[in-house]
Amino acid sequence: MSKLYCIGELLIDFQSVGIASLKDTQQFVKKAGGAPANVCVQAVKLGREAAYLTKVGSDGFGEFLIETLKNEKVDTTYISKSTEYDTSLAFVSFQEGGEREFSFFRKAAADLHFTSGDFKNVKFNGDDVLEFGSVALKTFEAMSTHKYVLDKAKKSNALICFDPNLRFNLWEDPEELKKVVNEFAVFADVIKVGEDELEFITGLKGVEAVKKMFTGNLKILLVTNGGKGAKLYLSDGTCEECKGYKVNTVDTTGAGDSFFGAFIAELMENGATCANLLNKGLNFKEILDFACRCGAYTTMSFGAISAMGNKENVNKAVK
C-alpha cells in the first residue's frame, strides 16, 4: 500500500478562548499544529497510511505532539527529540468570520535543526508521496535536510507535493522567502497555493502567474480562494474549478491543510503516481470537489486536527 510522508514543522498552537486580538486574549487552549502534520492526519482520516518526519524538543510539549499523532494513527517512527532545541510554539487568536492572528516562537525550534541523519532510514517506493511546506525551510540545516529527503523521494519516483504556506512574520526579508519558495518549487509534481500567494511567488497575476508556475516538474497546480473554492490546472492547459461550499465557519485553522491532505489522499486511493498522474484518466473535478468539501468541513469546528473528518462525516455535513 502506498504511503504518504510529510516533513516539516510540528508545533503547539495555543488558540485563544473567545474572539479577540492576541493583545486582548486572556486564555489559550493547547492544540497540536503544523501544516504538514495536518495534511498527514487528514490523509489518515481518509484511510491512507502516513508518516511524519520532524524533530521536537525533549519536553512535555514534544511528548504531547508525538502522542497526538500516534493517537491519530500517524507513523511517528521518524520524529526525534532534541535536548538542544525547543518544541515550536504558536499563539493564535480568532477574529470574526474565522480569520486569525498569529505570533510564532520558533527562533530555537527543533524542527529547524533536523539533519539528514534523522531520516537516513526513510525509504520511498514508486507509489509513495512526499509532502512539504516552507515554514521549516528557515535555516540552512533544514533546507539541506529537505533537499536530502526530496532527492531520495525523486530517485524513487515518489510523487512530490508542495504547499508554500507563506508565513511572512517568520521571515525578516520577504524576498528571501520568495527565493526559497521558488528554489524548492522546482522539486514538486503538485503545488497548492492561495491566490494571493501565487501573485507574491510569481510577481504576476491571473493566467500569466499560472503559466510561470509550470516549470521544473510541476504537473498539477491547485489555487485556493478560501470559501470561494479552488481551481486546478494541469500542465496540458486543462482547468477544473470548484465554487466552494457555504458552511457555518467558526475557525479557518487547518482548512487549507485539510484540502491538500484530502486531495493527496484521493490521488493515492485512485492509484495515482508520479509516473501515471496525467495519463491515468483521473476525474480531477471530483477529486477537487471532495478536497473542497474536506476544507469546508474543517472550518465548522475549532482547531485543525480535531476538526477534520472522515469521508462519511464530510459527505454528510457538506453538500
Side-chain angles (χ1 to χ4, degrees):
M1 183 178 183
S2 59
K3 191 167 188 174
L4 168 64
Y5 293 84
C6 295
I7 181 173
E9 71 277 10
L10 184 58
L11 53 83
I12 301 289
D13 273 336
F14 283 105
Q15 299 181 345
S16 66
V17 176
I19 306 297
S21 66
L22 280 175
K23 172 179 171 291
D24 296 325
T25 297
Q26 299 296 314
Q27 291 181 301
F28 294 87
V29 175
K30 180 179 67 177
K31 299 281 188 179
N38 295 338
V39 169
C40 207
V41 170
Q42 180 62 87
V44 171
K45 286 180 180 288
L46 296 174
R48 302 296 96 201
E49 290 187 4
Y52 202 60
L53 284 60
T54 193
K55 179 175 282 186
V56 296
S58 185
D59 51 42
F61 291 139
E63 292 285 356
F64 167 77
L65 291 168
I66 293 172
E67 183 177 307
T68 299
L69 292 187
K70 282 184 177 179
N71 288 340
E72 294 293 342
K73 311 303 182 188
V74 172
D75 181 355
T76 61
T77 300
Y78 307 108
I79 302 179
S80 58
K81 298 177 186 177
S82 171
T83 56
E84 184 178 0
Y85 298 101
D86 304 320
T87 300
S88 298
L89 306 179
F91 289 81
V92 188
S93 67
F94 298 109
Q95 317 298 311
E96 296 293 341
E99 293 306 311
R100 302 153 293 159
E101 178 185 359
F102 289 93
S103 183
F104 292 94
F105 291 79
R106 287 180 49 76
K107 290 184 178 179
D111 56 47
L112 292 177
H113 297 280
F114 44 50
T115 68
S116 57
D118 293 315
F119 308 127
K120 63 182 179 181
N121 293 325
V122 176
K123 292 181 173 61
F124 296 99
N125 294 315
D127 58 353
D128 289 337
V129 180
L130 173 64
E131 190 270 350
F132 71 108
S134 73
V135 171
L137 293 174
K138 189 69 170 59
T139 63
F140 176 79
E141 194 171 29
M143 289 175 64
S144 297
T145 303
H146 272 76
K147 287 179 180 178
Y148 167 79
V149 174
L150 284 162
D151 185 58
K152 290 180 74 170
K154 185 60 66 178
K155 286 179 177 177
S156 299
N157 210 31
L159 186 70
I160 297 177
C161 302
F162 180 38
D163 175 7
N165 189 33
L166 305 181
R167 292 289 180 261
F168 292 99
N169 54 345
L170 290 176
W171 298 75
E172 293 77 16
D173 182 1
E175 289 303 310
E176 180 65 18
L177 171 58
K178 182 187 291 187
K179 177 183 175 183
V180 169
V181 167
N182 280 297
E183 180 179 347
F184 279 83
V186 298
F187 288 97
D189 302 297
V190 181
I191 293 178
K192 178 193 84 72
V193 291
E195 281 194 351
D196 54 340
E197 293 178 321
L198 179 62
E199 182 178 345
F200 171 79
I201 292 167
T202 64
L204 300 169
K205 294 183 179 180
V207 175
E208 294 306 311
V210 171
K211 286 181 179 178
K212 190 171 181 179
M213 290 298 292
F214 279 97
T215 57
N217 299 298
L218 189 62
K219 300 173 179 65
I220 297 176
L221 176 68
L222 300 165
V223 181
T224 60
N225 191 20
K228 295 180 181 179
K231 291 182 180 180
L232 177 151
Y233 299 91
L234 301 181
S235 54
D236 65 4
T238 301
C239 177
E240 299 289 355
E241 182 175 7
C242 173
K243 297 291 188 180
Y245 290 88
K246 290 185 178 181
V247 295
N248 181 27
T249 296
V250 297
D251 175 16
T252 59
T253 303
D257 306 330
S258 174
F259 168 90
F260 204 28
F263 187 86
I264 293 170
E266 288 295 288
L267 291 182
M268 295 171 71
E269 184 172 329
N270 284 279
T273 66
C274 179
N276 69 17
L277 186 58
L278 297 183
N279 57 27
K280 190 173 173 58
L282 298 176
N283 189 326
F284 286 113
K285 188 174 184 62
E286 284 188 1
I287 294 173
L288 181 68
D289 180 81
F290 180 68
C292 285
R293 286 173 183 264
C294 286
Y297 182 89
T298 301
T299 71
M300 297 169 67
S301 304
F302 285 101
I305 288 175
S306 59
M308 294 175 179
N310 59 31
K311 187 167 288 191
E312 181 182 356
N313 291 339
V314 168
N315 286 333
K316 186 182 297 184
V318 183
K319 299 179 180 178

